[in-house]
Amino acid sequence: MSAYKAPLRDLRFVCDELLDSDGHYQKFPQYSEVNRELRDAILEEAGKFAEQVLAPTNRNGDEQGCHFEDGVVTTADGFKEAYQAFIDGGWSGLSMPEEFGGQNLPKSMDLVVSELFSQANHAWAMCPGLTAGCRSTLLAHASAELQQTYLHKLTEGRWSGTMCLTEPQGGSDLSFLKTKAIDNGDDSYAVTGTKIFISSGEHDMSENIIHLVLARLPDAPAGTKGISLFLVPKYLPDANGEAGERNTVKAGSIEHKMGINGSPTCVMNFDDAKGYLIGEPHKGLFCMFTFMNAARIGTALEGASHSEVALQGAMRYALDREAGRALTGVKSPERSADKLIVHPDVRKMIQTIRSFAEGNRAFAHFLGQLVDSEIHGDDQQKAHAAGLLALLTPIAKGFMTETGIESASLGIQVYGGHGYVREWGMEQNMRDSRISTLYEGTTGIQALDLLGRKVLPDGGEKFGQFLKMIAASLPEMDPQFAAPLGAKLQEWEQLTRGIGAKSMSDVNEMAAAATDYLMYSGYVVVAWFWGRMGTLAKAKAAHSDELFYRAKVATAQFYFQRLLPRTTSLKESIEAGSSSLMALSDEEFEQLLG
Amino acid sequence: MSAYKAPLRDLRFVCDELLDSDGHYQKFPQYSEVNRELRDAILEEAGKFAEQVLAPTNRNGDEQGCHFEDGVVTTADGFKEAYQAFIDGGWSGLSMPEEFGGQNLPKSMDLVVSELFSQANHAWAMCPGLTAGCRSTLLAHASAELQQTYLHKLTEGRWSGTMCLTEPQGGSDLSFLKTKAIDNGDDSYAVTGTKIFISSGEHDMSENIIHLVLARLPDAPAGTKGISLFLVPKYLPDANGEAGERNTVKAGSIEHKMGINGSPTCVMNFDDAKGYLIGEPHKGLFCMFTFMNAARIGTALEGASHSEVALQGAMRYALDREAGRALTGVKSPERSADKLIVHPDVRKMIQTIRSFAEGNRAFAHFLGQLVDSEIHGDDQQKAHAAGLLALLTPIAKGFMTETGIESASLGIQVYGGHGYVREWGMEQNMRDSRISTLYEGTTGIQALDLLGRKVLPDGGEKFGQFLKMIAASLPEMDPQFAAPLGAKLQEWEQLTRGIGAKSMSDVNEMAAAATDYLMYSGYVVVAWFWGRMGTLAKAKAAHSDELFYRAKVATAQFYFQRLLPRTTSLKESIEAGSSSLMALSDEEFEQLLG
């Protein structure tokens, strides 16, 4: 098993050198005391926690999985202890307001920390990640009383949270939702129904579990417009605010999955469970989107994290393992073979992984800063950030998770047959990575959201603003990056126009283009970050002999030369249109199956 | 779990309608009695065996894996019984000569049958697959005496075979090989050493296990030129030719792997084990290549098989599961949602999988016919087939396995979150598929073989002949396929010339292009098959209302419009060259790791 190392140098490059964290924090009055030094101190400690506490339990979690018996879930050895250390270290409430016991730090800092945690142990990090989403939703939409009752414990981490959307009869399609909530006449509701795929729905790490549950009131209109959001605790708070009486919500079973085995994925049965309405009746989906949008950025970051794990493993093996000889001549005559790193194709795999790990990292933490602006900025900053987040979140979620799986698979490939056995952790990384294009909305759902809800409906307004933002950065960008990126911007705009025009007469043209379009967009957005990083690193390399900068330039060049060209094929595929997809009717597909 | 169905209709289309199996069999005097009807009868039975005997044990194999204790391996419930049924059914010796108890059928027929078996249960099918390779090697290179002693039982299947190449210190690089063989002075040798990653190295399905082992004689030159091949049985044959005295070869452990858990992957310890030389001393690699070339085509077919399994699963789910509404308007007003198949992106995923499943099938069975010609043809046929096989085997192995993994991953994606849980078999299919780009030479090794040994060294002679063969088929091809394929042929030739020219001054240019070039080549070769299949099906559709033909045309169009464009990006990436890969020195990579 490769020893995980927190990538602090690169995180600092992204946050401080590329994204000017100090300048960013100073935009917000409430963060006047936040600065790079403070962030650095937190980063160091988070790195230690990830390396020393979380990473050592990662394989345990995979091999032992979770134990289920009569509604009780026992997590793998070390998970509970790691969670207690997480509470004790004060990691849970980093970005929560002080009034609930939090440390009042920016969300963007949470994201930096959670990158490290999910690299070290994706399965374990699911629980704190969901708790954070639960807290954000309560902060934004719950009554002051519910906030007082629940947010202190959720901030401390002694209570954890979940998101209960999916039901057996429908996954992404919430119009199927059957779970019912009936008014008890005392400000509480009786919630009844079955939810599936509930991450951390039941476990032994926290004292209480707070479920956010989508359900229908008796008078609810049909479809997705009749869904309300309820808070349903595992234990009802007692007079002292501690976990008291057991509520009638219980795990029915856990799933046997491909990966993230350390995270219990539960079927949850609500049987007249006592719950409390969050926000307005029938406006539950709106509230849940607070959760969902944060979760999508978190999932995007998981994708980037799987690339980082693959990078560390592949680099270590390529520099340790000896096989064959360099084609250009023996490199290590004293050894019976040269190291794997001499082979161009091994380097190509490693640089592909690195391009995604580091490029996606920059993209993700850029989004983290936008989240800060969306919450704490002035009106103009809020609107700007909200618009960009709406556009970029589906791109980030889809692209970073798809390329996370590719990276994880290449991580195995660098190891040859050794990558297929458990010992080195590369196959676990791939199995763990595979969930990320599925949950929080599949890539196909992100793609429809991007093209059908974000790019096309406003006549390309938001999209055009983003293009201008990129274009504005080109004059300061090194021409080796600015020239191809400028050309891609034009191409992207034309491509978008073309899809828009065709979709006017046939909406299937939009849907048939959507996933290719999402990936195309991802490659261009990440090219923007690589162009800026390459330019910055080239300038710094002139005044520093730190290898880090030269490597950054080389990777930027690699990305532009060998990965950005993937856009060309995606464009060709998009422009070929929907006809070959729609040539057979549904019934004909049915007959084909026989 | 989806019920596996043998894809007999498509196999018949490929073998009979596209590849004219009757005409093919008639080329060989010894197959004068072989015809399509006989092949069909065998196919029917093989389909039943795959569906009824092998497929039901597939999940068992995955979940139970293999049990190892003190050198003894116990396979999963049902594996041993399935193997006995395989022997009883006479499946083992299908293509073996009658003198050894075989049925003297063409190798191409073996390949058709093994496609079905590896679709139904990849892990189980490993053992018969290796036995077939072992038999071919003995047939081609072993003494008459060794053949008499071993081939009868191996043909019957009561004895199984292995291939023992890899050692702990070196994977693909055989120059590391340390296993020793010392002449016992009685026509036998004492073989000592450790081999790893030995599939079916030890198990309970056959009465004896015949290992083909690469080892060095004491006077062997260093490197790969000093390697000899030995036959080392688990049990030495007794006076009656049955398994007798236990030889000193023993399994030391089995690997814990990502997939194909039903197949035991063993560490094998040879401790002065009695063995017999196959072929000439120091010429072992040459003999082993008989095994390896067959194994590579078999592995290519495994890739195609994982696409088929994904196709069946994805089709079934997309036609059963309801979610969302067609964007063009409600399709099933009586239901609360439409079926998944209405969504263009779901169709895109399914047609991508289908393109690979069916296109790669055609490619694989074309190779199967070449194998027949290479073994049984006249001198000219042999030379032609050998040249084509040399060129196409690495393309087939690399392309079909890479696209097999992509298909398996898309198979999960169509299911959404349900694809990630074990129940539906899609995640097992992906885990099982992931081995295929690693064993029998990684994709990178195939790519170097293709470009560095097959395409460039003879000045493009073999490659040029193949281009002419494709070009000769264009006049009969429907223009919608012939025009783009013709353009790709020119592009492929120019691309190849370009790499050749650059590689003259820097061999790293060849190596940096190799995997992209292999994939580019794969897309063009499969376009050749899709162009021919599409043309044929279009003609047949005019005289038949069988939906099969219209679906074939639609898939051919899909392949040309939405998948063949991937070549454009691969070309751009190749032409960008090696500079961004070689910008950092090995030492700088080392420092980066820290």
Side-chain angles (χ1 to χ4, degrees), chain B residues 6 8 43-54 116:
Chain B
L8 300 188
L43 201 55
E44 290 280 351
E45 288 306 310
K48 281 186 206 157
F49 188 79
E51 290 171 2
Q52 297 168 11
V53 179
L54 298 182
L116 303 181

Side-chain angles (χ1 to χ4, degrees), chain B residues 410-461:
Chain B
L410 287 173
I412 291 177
Q413 195 68 23
V414 168
Y415 280 72
H418 291 274
Y420 198 65
V421 299
R422 291 210 197 135
E423 197 178 347
W424 300 95
M426 292 288 102
E427 66 87 32
Q428 183 192 339
N429 189 47
M430 184 169 181
R431 287 185 290 104
D432 288 352
S433 77
R434 188 62 192 83
I435 186 61
S436 59
T437 62
L438 301 168
Y439 64 14
E440 312 307 338
T442 61
T443 305
I445 301 263
Q446 304 300 324
L448 287 178
D449 181 47
L450 172 64
L451 203 45
R453 290 203 202 107
K454 307 295 172 60
V455 170
L456 298 181
D458 67 359
E461 172 81 18

Side-chain angles (χ1 to χ4, degrees), chain A residues 88-107:
Chain A
D88 295 344
W91 293 110
S92 179
L94 222 55
S95 67
M96 283 294 286
E98 281 174 359
E99 65 168 304
F100 299 113
Q103 297 178 52
N104 202 36
L105 291 166
K107 276 274 174 198

Side-chain angles (χ1 to χ4, degrees), chain B residues 358-372:
Chain B
E358 299 178 1
N360 287 341
R361 171 175 296 129
F363 186 7
H365 295 298
F366 172 75
L367 296 182
Q369 292 194 343
L370 289 176
V371 170
D372 290 343

